Amino acid sequence: MANSSSPGCVLLAATMALGVVLLASPAESARAFFVFGDSLVDNGNNNYLMSTARADSPPYGVDYPTHQPTGRFSNGLNIPDIISEHLGAEPTLPYLSPELHGEKLLVGANFASAGVGILNDTGIQFMEMVRMSRQLQYFHEYQGKLRAMVGASQATQIVNRALVLITLGGNDFVNNYFFMPFSLRSLQFSLPNYVRYLISEYKKILVRLYDMGARRVLVTGTGPLGCAPAQLARSRGGECDADLMRAAELFNPQLSRALEQLNARHGDKMFIAANTLHIHFDFISDPAAYGSCCGQGPHDGVGLCTTLSNVCADRDQYVFWDAYHPTERANRIIVSQFMTGSLDYISPLNLGTALHIDAGLTD
């Protein structure tokens, strides 16, 4: 994050990157890439829905290659885009995009939808969205299209060899449990019990992905939910929200343990846990001192990012683009830790190592 009046966010000195070779065509891609989850990884599915959770208007996309909004909740590229760079592939298209057909199917697909959570009742205030049950239905539908194109055996191989990214959990706290003083879920569960319930439901989603052929799944934890500019703007002194921070601190370790259990059952190192909370705090020196790059009010964390918002001049000096979502610069640092980070950041192995192992198995 960065101070809205004097940007001074302490970013990592250098982003570690792996060399990639761009491939000639989608058909030659090293592997397919599938993305599930919420607005942190949505490449534009909500553009095609009657949803209030959307990023298809300026200044979103100001630093995207086309300098146009795409539905990504960022000033430029998001986490899936940058992972695609490391795969040597073009970005995955939103599943609802009419352009997703033919050879584009071999690249993979992005099923994510802004506003969704682990639970189906999360984000109902955003109206229409692709909830997780529907994202999985679309994945099944996608596989049918793939089989029709390349045959059943090759389609199964493409899915088994694919990389899968899933990002969920933040909305279940921000836009469900803590959405109002007395939400239905907060009346139903204490916070520790709610976290345990979320983890149990998340495991069902991950098992379903396994049953549908996913064999290398990167699962991200929640970031510093209570330190997002939207939360700083609501506090009297600009402090991080203690309840949301406690939620993240309860959720992430339990998610890591759940992935260890799934690996013990389904295959060693199949599910990879990314500690995004730890990664974020490596490049945030004082969370309470910073705000967003596009917004208004205290810490530029009030309201939506629109053409009427204050927009910072140097986006590379900010961690948060809007009230909740990272800048492209922050996304690049996050992905660099996915690729090359130690076990403190990503376990049981980093993504770069996993991709190297997988490439050796297919040589």
Side-chain angles (χ1 to χ4, degrees), residues 63-289:
D63 297 309
Y64 192 73
T66 62
H67 304 293
Q68 298 295 321
T70 62
R72 292 164 171 82
F73 286 76
S74 178
N75 60 302
L77 302 182
N78 64 8
I79 286 172
D81 294 325
I82 299 163
I83 290 177
S84 291
E85 290 181 350
H86 286 278
L87 294 176
E90 61 189 74
T92 54
L93 287 171
Y95 183 72
L96 298 181
S97 169
E99 298 178 19
L100 185 62
H101 58 81
E103 280 203 340
K104 297 288 187 182
L105 290 169
L106 301 178
V107 177
N110 186 310
F111 303 93
S113 178
V116 304
I118 297 166
L119 306 181
N120 278 335
D121 57 298
T122 290
I124 57 175
Q125 64 271 31
F126 299 124
M127 299 171 61
E128 193 177 10
M129 65 190 75
V130 188
R131 292 181 171 82
M132 279 313 303
S133 55
R134 180 59 61 87
Q135 289 187 33
L136 295 174
Q137 288 173 14
Y138 282 157
F139 188 35
H140 176 76
E141 187 179 280
Y142 163 89
Q143 292 188 42
K145 295 177 182 179
L146 193 61
R147 285 192 295 271
M149 180 179 174
V150 301
S153 177
Q154 189 175 348
T156 298
Q157 184 180 23
I158 288 171
V159 172
N160 288 164
R161 290 190 61 247
L163 174 65
V164 176
L165 168 67
I166 184 166
T167 296
L168 288 170
N171 284 322
D172 293 287
F173 296 109
V174 175
N175 290 307
N176 192 329
Y177 193 85
F178 293 111
F179 180 60
M180 56 187 70
F182 300 103
S183 69
L184 291 177
R185 289 298 187 181
S186 67
L187 294 173
Q188 182 182 10
F189 294 104
S190 66
L191 181 59
N193 286 339
Y194 182 64
V195 170
R196 283 191 284 272
Y197 176 60
L198 288 179
I199 296 298
S200 68
E201 293 300 300
Y202 205 169
K203 286 178 69 174
K204 294 175 185 177
I205 293 169
L206 296 173
V207 169
R208 180 64 178 142
L209 280 174
Y210 173 83
D211 290 342
M212 298 178 77
R215 294 296 181 268
R216 183 69 80 185
V217 186
L218 175 62
V219 186
T220 68
T222 65
L225 300 175
C227 296
Q231 303 305 323
L232 302 182
R234 293 171 184 165
S235 66
R236 291 183 178 179
E239 299 90 2
C240 297
D241 184 276
D243 289 334
L244 278 168
M245 292 308 296
R246 180 170 177 247
E249 290 161 2
L250 287 171
F251 179 83
N252 289 324
Q254 291 187 46
L255 177 60
S256 293
R257 287 194 292 273
L259 297 180
E260 291 172 0
Q261 293 166 2
L262 291 173
N263 279 334
R265 184 187 314 162
H266 296 294
D268 189 29
K269 302 179 177 65
M270 188 171 296
F271 293 93
I272 301 174
N275 189 338
T276 44
L277 183 64
H278 190 167
I279 294 171
H280 267 277
F281 275 115
D282 257 13
F283 55 88
I284 299 174
S285 61
D286 181 5

